[in-house]
Amino acid sequence: MATINFGGVLENVVTREEFTLEKAQNVLKRETVAVIGYGVQGPGQALNLKDNGVNVIVGQRKGTNSWKKALADGWEEGKTLFEVEAACEKATVVMNLLSDAGQIQAWEGIKKHLSKGKALYFSHGFGITFHEKTGIVPPIDVDVVLVAPKGSGTSLRSLFLQGQGLNSSYAVFQDATGRAEERALALGIAIGSGYLFETTFQKEVYSDLTGERGVLMGAVAGIFEAQFNVLRQRGHSPSEAFNETVEELTQSLMPLVAQNGMDWMFANCSTTAQRGALDWKDKFRAATEPVLNELYDSVVSGREAENVIKANSKDDYREKLEEELAVMKNSELWQTGLEVRKLRPKK
């Protein structure tokens, strides 16, 4: 492991230098890895593993859109593409990449194929951490590990094709073989992780649920809506309000922040922007920190998990979800965004 100073805190991480792809391939050379689920994370992880020389098969319900996508991506029915239970039976490593709701529904079928010495892999700590609600309790004689890329499966794949990678967390919940950590690290490198940092299943799901509801999606979406609404209420046109709220941030500033950091952005903007941002930054932090603490408490208590499971168990969930998403899609904010994106210069 490499010891890195993260803002004054020393932390051990695993990089590609000390755990090379060649080492990962050697660890996995006798494994048959079954990627179960071909939705959000499945395609990126499966294709990266395949391209890195790992023996991979895919398990997915036949006839679904995900099954069709797997076929389109080159997986062959009966050779590298199977129904879920058939893939689990063939595998020595079962990568459970179904949605959290899908994992609950498929668990009994997956569990019966987890024979002694196999490894059960997750990219989210939800099912294990909230086992009292999900019913997901692995057999005691299998390894249970986690590798969670810090981004979408689409990003994992696109960055891999560019020779880059997403950072990932990893964890070992159960080490039945004495090889659980080695297996986790090998899989983490083979799916294309940039570097790997250690966590636990519990910490992964607590941070992930907080992040999704907070800065990564929920908070950003809410702040976008709030600023857009204020500008519109104060007489600004939809185009001006959208450009000042979303377009400048996503197209100009955030790529620079990603490359250089927010401190660099503050140091390299106009003095007017600097002064205003410094004056107002702490006010926004003070306003949002209590909300984020409320959110974290809701995650730890299990309320967020319960809400997810309850919502997904309803027969009309998909229909209700589409209605909620349609409200956002058809709002003035995102309809304006649709037109603004059309006006971006073509390469």
Side-chain angles (χ1 to χ4, degrees):
M1 290 190 177
T3 301
I4 308 294
N5 187 330
F6 290 98
V9 177
L10 296 179
E11 186 176 339
N12 292 325
V13 300
V14 179
T15 71
R16 297 176 181 182
E17 280 69 40
E18 63 263 16
F19 204 111
T20 64
L21 177 58
E22 183 180 11
K23 181 176 180 180
Q25 291 168 332
N26 188 57
V27 170
L28 300 172
K29 65 183 178 182
R30 293 186 179 87
E31 305 278 18
T32 297
V33 179
V35 173
I36 307 302
Y38 208 74
V40 177
Q41 280 288 336
Q45 295 199 33
L47 291 168
N48 290 359
L49 285 166
K50 180 183 177 183
D51 286 352
N52 273 332
V54 178
N55 181 26
V56 188
I57 59 177
V58 172
Q60 176 64 44
R61 281 193 302 121
K62 190 172 182 178
T64 62
N65 288 334
S66 294
W67 177 276
K68 295 172 185 176
K69 176 172 172 51
L71 288 172
D73 284 347
W75 304 97
E76 299 180 62
E77 182 176 353
K79 293 183 178 179
T80 54
L81 177 61
F82 303 90
E83 290 272 8
V84 170
E85 288 197 33
C88 291
E89 184 178 14
K90 294 176 182 296
T92 59
V93 177
V94 175
M95 296 178 68
N96 193 343
L97 300 182
L98 294 165
S99 67
D100 293 324
Q103 289 185 19
I104 296 170
Q105 295 167 0
W107 173 241
E108 290 305 320
I110 292 174
K111 182 180 178 181
K112 65 185 179 183
H113 297 292
L114 295 175
S115 54
K116 183 178 180 180
K118 288 191 176 186
L120 176 62
Y121 166 112
F122 296 89
S123 283
H124 193 21
F126 189 98
I128 294 291
T129 300
F130 300 114
H131 61 89
E132 292 181 352
K133 302 178 189 299
T134 65
I136 297 176
V137 180
I140 61 172
D141 55 0
V142 301
D143 292 340
V144 183
V145 302
L146 171 147
V147 177
K150 298 299 105 180
S152 70
T154 301
S155 298
L156 184 72
R157 180 60 176 166
S158 62
L159 287 170
F160 175 85
L161 293 174
Q162 296 169 34
Q164 302 178 50
L166 279 177
N167 301 326
S168 301
S169 60
Y170 80 95
V172 174
F173 178 78
Q174 187 168 281
D175 185 3
T177 68
R179 298 177 52 238
E181 183 173 48
E182 184 180 55
R183 281 168 137 176
L185 294 175
L187 290 162
I189 294 298
I191 65 168
S193 300
Y195 76 85
L196 294 148
F197 59 95
E198 190 172 10
T199 187
T200 66
F201 274 63
Q202 186 182 74
K203 286 181 178 177
E204 190 284 329
V205 74
Y206 288 176
S207 61
D208 189 72
L209 292 185
T210 300
E212 291 169 345
R213 287 151 177 74
V215 169
L216 301 180
M217 291 181 68
V220 169
I223 290 173
F224 279 167
E225 291 175 9
Q227 181 167 302
F228 182 87
N229 289 345
V230 166
L231 292 175
R232 290 291 288 123
Q233 291 160 10
R234 300 300 181 107
H236 297 270
S237 71
S239 179
E240 184 170 45
F242 185 87
N243 275 281
E244 291 294 343
T245 299
V246 178
E247 193 74 353
E248 185 173 354
L249 176 70
T250 58
Q251 298 305 296
S252 175
L253 303 187
M254 289 316 294
L256 291 171
V257 171
Q259 183 176 359
N260 303 300
M262 185 62 81
D263 56 324
W264 182 94
M265 178 59 66
F266 270 60
N268 287 274
C269 63
S270 71
T271 55
T272 301
Q274 280 176 343
R275 185 68 268 142
L278 287 167
D279 288 346
W280 281 89
K281 173 180 70 69
D282 291 349
K283 294 180 181 181
F284 278 105
R285 185 181 66 200
T288 57
E289 197 166 313
V291 179
L292 288 167
N293 270 305
E294 179 185 352
L295 166 57
Y296 194 87
D297 289 341
S298 185
V299 170
V300 172
S301 72
R303 287 193 298 272
E304 294 302 309
E306 188 174 339
N307 290 343
V308 169
I309 294 169
K310 184 177 179 180
N312 278 278
S313 66
K314 294 181 179 179
D315 293 337
D316 63 348
Y317 171 69
R318 184 58 57 181
E319 178 183 339
K320 296 294 185 184
L321 175 64
E322 292 300 328
E323 290 176 4
E324 289 182 89
L325 294 177
V327 171
M328 180 183 290
K329 178 181 179 180
N330 295 324
S331 68
E332 184 183 55
L333 167 60
W334 294 111
Q335 285 297 303
T336 299
L338 180 65
E339 297 305 316
V340 169
R341 290 191 294 275
K342 292 178 184 177
L343 295 171
R344 291 175 186 165
K346 301 294 190 293
K347 291 183 179 180

